[in-house]
Amino acid sequence: MSLQIYLNDRLVPKEQAVVSVFDHGLLYGDGVFEGIRSYDGLVFKLREHLVRLYESAHTLMLKVPMPIERLEAAVIETLQANRLRDAYIRLVVTRGTGDLGLDPRKCPTATVFIIADKIALYPSELYEKGLELMTCPTVRNHPEALNPQLKTLNYLNNILARIEATNAGFNEAILLNAQGYVTECTGENIFYVSGKRLVTPPPYVGILKGITRQSVMDLAAKSGFQVIETPFTRHDLYTADEVFVTGTAAEIVPVAKIDNRRIGSGNAGPVTKDFIRKFRELTRTEGVRYDPEGAPAGKAARV
Ligand code: PMP
C-alpha cells in the first residue's frame, strides 16, 4: 500500500499528495515545519513540537487553520494510517496558494500536510566514533533578520553551511554568529562538557530552542550537572572534555574533532554515552501513546 499522507484534512496516497506551484511555501519558503519522532508507539514531546509550530506561525502571522488538538489528532491518524510504530513525522504548514507577489494577504488558506515515514537512522558507528565538525564561513542568521527560533521553511542559511562542510569533507558545520560566538549546527544544537558543567549557547545568540536540547538539559540537571546557557567561542569547544550535538532526527551524537582539533579522548566520552542511554530510556517511556494497528479515528479517516 502506498504511503498515506495527511493533506488539508484528508489522508491521500502519496501520489496524490501534491501542492500548487503557486503555494508560497514553495515560491518564498513562507511557512513553518516540525520534525517529530515516535518510538515504539509513543510520540515524543508531541505537544512541545506543536506549540513551537504554532508559535513560529504566530510570529509570521500565519494562521494554522485548525486548533492544536485537531493537529495532534491528525499526527496520530497519519501514524495509524501507515501502521507505523517507530517513525519520523514531518509536519508542514505553508502560507498556501497565492499569486506571484509575496503579499501573504493573497493567500487565503494555509496548506497543512503531515508525512510519517520509517526513520532512516544514522549509522550506529557514528554514535561511537563521533562526528568531525568544522566551523563554516557562513554566519548564522542574525536574530533581527530571520530569528533562528522560528522554524521556517527558509533553511538556506543552514543549507549553505552544510554545503561548505560537505565540500571540505566534514560531517557537519558549526555556525558562528556575527560576533563570532558558537550558535549551532545545521540541524542540531551543540553542547560541551567541562567537569560537572554542561554548557550550551543561549537562544539570543541565534539558535533554535531545540526540544532535544531541553530534554538533555533536564536529564543533566537531574544527574547533578550544572547546566549553563552562556555565549562561548570555538576555543571553549576545542578545550572541552566532551562535545555532543542534539536533534530530533540525530538524537545525541558525540563529536570527535572540531576544525581538526581532537576533543577530549577523540571518541564518545562517558558523559555523552550516559546521556545517550538516559535519552533512549526517556523516549521509550514518555510520550503520547497510540495504537499503530488501530484504525484512524478522526475526521481524516472518514473522507
Ligand atoms: N537547530 C536547528 C537549526 C534545527 O533545525 C533543529 C531541528 N532539526 C535543531 C536545532 C534541533 O531541534 P530539536 O531537538 O527540536 O529537533
Side-chain angles (χ1 to χ4, degrees), residues 33-35 49 52 88 140 148 151 155 158 184-189 207-213 246-249:
F33 78 101
E34 281 296 321
H49 281 285
R52 187 169 68 183
Y88 181 81
R140 190 75 177 106
K151 199 163 168 61
Y155 252 53
N158 315 50
E184 59 185 338
C185 295
T186 65
E188 289 90 25
N189 293 113
I207 61 163
L208 181 75
K209 264 201 268 180
I211 286 163
T212 321
R213 171 183 181 271
T246 66
T248 296

Side-chain angles (χ1 to χ4, degrees), residues 116-191:
D117 206 350
K118 288 191 185 69
I119 169 89
L121 294 172
Y122 288 99
S124 58
E125 79 240 22
L126 223 63
Y127 295 81
E128 284 293 326
K129 238 177 63 195
L131 299 169
E132 294 195 18
L133 309 183
M134 68 165 245
T135 49
C136 63
T138 292
V139 299
R140 190 75 177 106
N141 280 335
H142 191 290
E144 293 309 319
L146 178 58
N147 194 331
Q149 286 204 48
L150 306 177
K151 199 163 168 61
T152 76
L153 295 180
N154 194 322
Y155 252 53
L156 283 174
N157 181 223
N158 315 50
I159 290 166
L160 282 171
R162 188 58 201 264
I163 288 170
E164 287 160 1
T166 306
N167 283 349
F170 289 82
N171 299 116
E172 247 295 350
I174 298 174
L175 291 106
L176 307 179
N177 69 9
Q179 286 76 44
Y181 290 110
V182 170
T183 63
E184 59 185 338
C185 295
T186 65
E188 289 90 25
N189 293 113
I190 193 159
F191 288 83

Side-chain angles (χ1 to χ4, degrees), residues 8-296:
N8 297 329
D9 239 358
R10 300 179 56 195
L11 284 161
V12 294
K14 80 168 182 211
E15 296 74 19
Q16 291 169 34
V18 290
V19 297
S20 165
V21 292
F22 287 95
D23 194 298
H24 280 208
L26 182 60
L27 287 176
Y28 294 113
D30 187 356
V32 294
F33 78 101
E34 281 296 321
I36 311 169
R37 285 279 286 272
S38 83
Y39 297 91
D40 199 18
L42 282 169
V43 190
F44 188 62
K45 302 280 181 197
L46 179 54
R47 234 336 136 111
E48 286 81 349
H49 281 285
L50 293 180
V51 166
R52 187 169 68 183
L53 181 90
Y54 278 78
E55 286 181 355
S56 291
H58 181 66
T59 291
L60 297 179
M61 298 185 80
L62 164 57
K63 189 169 166 20
V64 184
M66 60 185 74
I68 195 165
E69 294 76 18
R70 174 72 202 112
L71 201 51
E72 197 162 35
V75 169
I76 304 294
E77 286 161 27
T78 312
L79 287 164
Q80 290 179 321
N82 295 289
R83 300 192 176 276
L84 288 162
R85 186 173 290 277
D86 294 273
Y88 181 81
I89 303 144
R90 174 57 56 93
L91 173 41
V92 182
V93 182
T94 79
R95 186 75 67 177
T97 303
D99 64 16
L100 289 178
L102 57 77
D103 187 350
R105 291 173 302 182
K106 301 279 177 59
C107 308
T109 327
T111 303
V112 180
F113 59 88
I114 305 170
I115 308 167
D117 206 350
K118 288 191 185 69
I119 169 89
L121 294 172
Y122 288 99
S124 58
E125 79 240 22
L126 223 63
Y127 295 81
E128 284 293 326
K129 238 177 63 195
L131 299 169
E132 294 195 18
L133 309 183
M134 68 165 245
T135 49
C136 63
T138 292
V139 299
R140 190 75 177 106
N141 280 335
H142 191 290
E144 293 309 319
L146 178 58
N147 194 331
Q149 286 204 48
L150 306 177
K151 199 163 168 61
T152 76
L153 295 180
N154 194 322
Y155 252 53
L156 283 174
N157 181 223
N158 315 50
I159 290 166
L160 282 171
R162 188 58 201 264
I163 288 170
E164 287 160 1
T166 306
N167 283 349
F170 289 82
N171 299 116
E172 247 295 350
I174 298 174
L175 291 106
L176 307 179
N177 69 9
Q179 286 76 44
Y181 290 110
V182 170
T183 63
E184 59 185 338
C185 295
T186 65
E188 289 90 25
N189 293 113
I190 193 159
F191 288 83
Y192 76 83
V193 179
S194 176
K196 283 301 266 184
R197 295 186 318 135
L198 179 69
V199 187
T200 197
Y204 65 79
V205 301
I207 61 163
L208 181 75
K209 264 201 268 180
I211 286 163
T212 321
R213 171 183 181 271
Q214 188 58 53
S215 300
V216 168
M217 288 163 74
D218 295 344
L219 284 176
K222 273 194 207 140
S223 310
F225 279 83
Q226 190 191 357
V227 179
I228 303 166
E229 291 177 81
T230 189
F232 57 83
T233 63
R234 286 179 291 172
H235 174 71
D236 300 299
L237 291 177
Y238 298 157
T239 54
D241 299 337
E242 299 181 28
V243 174
F244 60 84
V245 301
T246 66
T248 296
E251 301 176 319
I252 301 171
V253 196
V255 173
K257 278 186 178 173
I258 301 174
D259 301 331
N260 294 328
R261 278 81 160 175
R262 198 190 65 228
I263 308 302
S265 68
N267 277 313
V271 176
T272 307
K273 279 187 174 163
D274 188 51
F275 289 157
I276 290 175
R277 193 180 51 74
K278 288 189 168 124
F279 182 74
R280 291 222 166 123
E281 227 171 77
L282 188 70
T283 56
R284 269 78 178 171
T285 48
E286 227 184 54
V288 175
R289 190 170 293 286
Y290 64 98
D291 177 5
E293 302 302 321

